[in-house]
Amino acid sequence: MKNQSRSQVEFVVLMAALMSIVALSIDAVLPALPEIGSFLNVGDTSDNPKVITFIFLGLGFGQLLFGPLSDSFGRKPIVYIGFIVFIIASVICVTTKSFEMMLFGRILQGIGLASPRTMCIAMVRDSYSGDYMAKILSFVVMIFILVPIIAPSLGQFLMQQYHWKSIFMFNLGFGVLVMLWFWLRQPETLKDKHRIKYRLAIFKTGTIAFFKIKPAVIYTILSGLITGSFMVYLSTSQRIFEQQYNMAEEFPLIFASIAVSVGLSTFLNSQLVVRFGMRRIVHTAMLSFVIIALVFVIMFSSGGNPSIEVLIGFFALQFLTIGFIFGNLRALAMEPMGHIAGIGSALNGFISTVMAVPIADYIGKFVTDSVTPLFIGFLVCGLISLALFYSITSRVSRLLKRA
């Protein structure tokens, strides 16, 4: 029993470590955006956040590639292939003197990192199901959230002590250690009976199967809307706190304090989800997400910024609700896709990420001298998400009545 418990704990921490390589590659770079832009002679500083958003494009497309392949060849070999791509991409990012090549390297980094990110979700789905799967995912995300808390401070320290390039080298070294742990300790989770013989048609058949599962499609779209609104904050946070509030030195600590709220709600979700169920928690969290954004927009509709304390308070509340939404939406989408967990996880990640990037870029253009457009974006994305959630909830209720 103790061995089984220890094995489960190690599994959760290892899955979180795999996802943490992604978080480090994004959040640790945030404080270095001005330095990177200056080094690469970027003319318009508003282009600097593309170093963040372009990695998400790679993550989206990479998931679409690696997910279906893992259903045929297993989860572990695909993780190794993705990490090799990440190594090549990291070398490009460190050696380039061109902003365009940096963006290409970031897309390639995203493609490589899509493998551990997608395989983490698929391996959890291979091993667990239902509300308990949501609980395990919450534990994974809870540990994973610790990385955004420390990553900006780590990035700032490395940049000040050495160079912005050292951030990329540190991420690469951390990834190598995680890969060694994964290789030595993690068994293959995809059972032979669930393997799908590889053929090019697998992409077509898997995609058709995915789009026939209406709840999975709608929950995936919901993930895209919520991820998009969160990505706006991620790509503009450095600009908001350093330019609008003149708090460049304090930025890592502010970012960390807000990330704590996501970690707290993710922990609470892991304790509550089996008792109350995923759908009820998502519904309550989405309502709260919309109400918080609406209150901010009404209070600061003039366009003026609140005090830093008030802003951090609103961000903390907003992301407290997101912690309840993220893992549960992914689990709800994956629940009916056990037979196509690889391509299902891939399509879920691809669609939600490709949706999120243009949402973030569009809303981010308005976040120049005021934070209000960001909360308007939260409000609009939240309202659309609620409408879609009610549509799928009524569909499920009708099916239960027929049964």
Side-chain angles (χ1 to χ4, degrees):
M1 193 71 171
K2 286 184 179 179
N3 288 336
Q4 184 179 356
S5 176
R6 184 166 62 248
S7 175
Q8 189 179 83
V9 169
E10 184 180 13
F11 175 76
V12 169
V13 176
L14 179 54
M15 293 302 103
L18 283 173
M19 293 183 71
S20 296
I21 306 173
V22 183
L24 266 179
S25 298
I26 297 168
D27 299 325
V29 176
L30 284 169
L33 290 181
E35 293 285 335
I36 294 172
S38 176
F39 182 85
L40 299 176
N41 299 312
V42 178
D44 186 355
T45 56
S46 65
D47 287 334
N48 288 345
K50 289 181 179 177
V51 175
I52 301 300
T53 56
F54 271 50
I55 197 172
F56 285 98
L57 279 178
L59 283 167
F61 284 99
Q63 289 175 84
L64 194 61
L65 172 66
F66 292 127
L69 291 175
S70 76
D71 282 337
S72 298
F73 301 109
R75 314 305 186 200
K76 291 190 72 173
I78 301 304
V79 171
Y80 301 142
I81 292 170
F83 191 69
I84 291 169
V85 174
F86 174 67
I87 293 173
I88 296 168
S90 298
V91 172
I92 292 172
C93 291
V94 169
T95 57
T96 187
K97 294 183 179 179
S98 159
F99 186 60
E100 289 74 20
M101 280 302 293
M102 169 61 79
L103 296 183
F104 171 73
R106 292 293 276 174
I107 292 173
L108 203 60
Q109 273 193 327
I111 291 172
L113 291 175
S115 173
R117 187 189 192 196
T118 308
M119 293 308 100
C120 169
I121 305 299
M123 285 188 282
V124 172
R125 179 62 187 86
D126 290 339
S127 308
Y128 304 96
S129 61
D131 287 331
Y132 198 75
M133 175 182 68
K135 182 174 182 175
I136 294 295
L137 273 176
S138 288
F139 279 129
V140 171
V141 174
M142 181 182 67
I143 299 169
F144 159 74
I145 286 298
L146 295 174
V147 176
I149 292 174
I150 63 169
S153 295
L154 174 64
Q156 189 176 65
F157 171 79
L158 291 170
M159 183 178 65
Q160 290 174 347
Q161 296 297 315
Y162 306 102
H163 194 271
W164 63 261
K165 293 182 180 182
S166 63
I167 300 172
F168 288 83
M169 298 309 296
F170 180 90
N171 294 346
L172 189 56
F174 175 76
V176 169
L177 291 176
V178 174
M179 283 300 117
L180 283 172
W181 181 15
F182 180 77
W183 173 59
L184 291 170
R185 298 288 295 168
Q186 178 59 45
E188 177 60 59
T189 59
L190 182 64
K191 294 181 173 64
D192 289 338
K193 65 179 180 180
H194 290 145
R195 296 197 182 211
I196 303 170
K197 186 177 180 181
Y198 178 75
R199 58 189 189 280
L200 288 176
I202 194 173
F203 291 89
K204 180 181 176 182
T205 55
T207 302
I208 290 171
F210 171 82
F211 281 104
K212 284 182 178 178
I213 307 170
K214 297 301 180 185
V217 174
I218 292 178
Y219 286 128
T220 297
I221 294 171
L222 291 180
S223 293
L225 289 164
I226 300 299
T227 303
S229 59
F230 179 74
M231 201 184 294
V232 183
Y233 164 76
L234 199 61
S235 61
T236 61
S237 58
Q238 180 266 338
R239 193 191 319 164
I240 289 169
F241 294 115
E242 294 191 12
Q243 295 180 16
Q244 294 186 24
Y245 282 87
N246 248 352
M247 303 183 78
E249 290 299 316
E250 297 87 349
F251 167 63
L253 293 176
I254 294 171
F255 191 91
S257 65
I258 294 170
V260 167
S261 67
V262 184
L264 174 62
S265 58
T266 306
F267 170 74
L268 291 174
N269 184 70
S270 69
Q271 304 302 305
L272 299 174
V273 68
V274 175
R275 180 179 175 185
F276 294 104
M278 294 179 279
R279 288 173 182 83
R280 183 184 295 182
I281 290 176
V282 166
H283 180 219
T284 303
M286 278 188 176
L287 276 174
S288 303
F289 183 84
V290 168
I291 291 168
I292 294 164
L294 180 61
V295 169
F296 186 96
V297 171
I298 291 171
M299 288 178 64
F300 303 100
S301 56
S302 62
N305 275 347
S307 67
I308 188 64
E309 294 82 7
V310 171
L311 180 64
I312 291 173
F314 268 97
F315 274 145
L317 289 172
Q318 200 78 58
F319 298 134
L320 192 72
T321 65
I322 283 180
F324 285 107
I325 295 172
F326 268 155
N328 286 326
L329 279 182
R330 177 62 71 95
L332 283 167
M334 290 300 297
E335 190 176 27
M337 295 194 291
H339 59 301
I340 52 165
I343 193 167
S345 176
L347 285 167
N348 176 272
F350 169 73
I351 294 170
S352 60
T353 305
V354 169
M355 277 182 63
V357 171
I359 290 172
D361 282 344
Y362 179 75
I363 299 173
K365 290 177 183 177
F366 297 96
V367 186
T368 53
D369 53 6
S370 171
V371 189
T372 303
L374 176 56
F375 280 86
I376 293 174
F378 287 157
L379 179 60
V380 172
C381 289
L383 287 171
I384 297 172
S385 298
L386 262 182
L388 288 170
F389 181 79
Y390 287 141
S391 76
I392 192 63
T393 303
S394 62
R395 184 193 298 269
V396 171
S397 298
R398 286 197 300 270
L399 288 174
L400 288 174
K401 285 179 182 178
R402 287 177 189 171

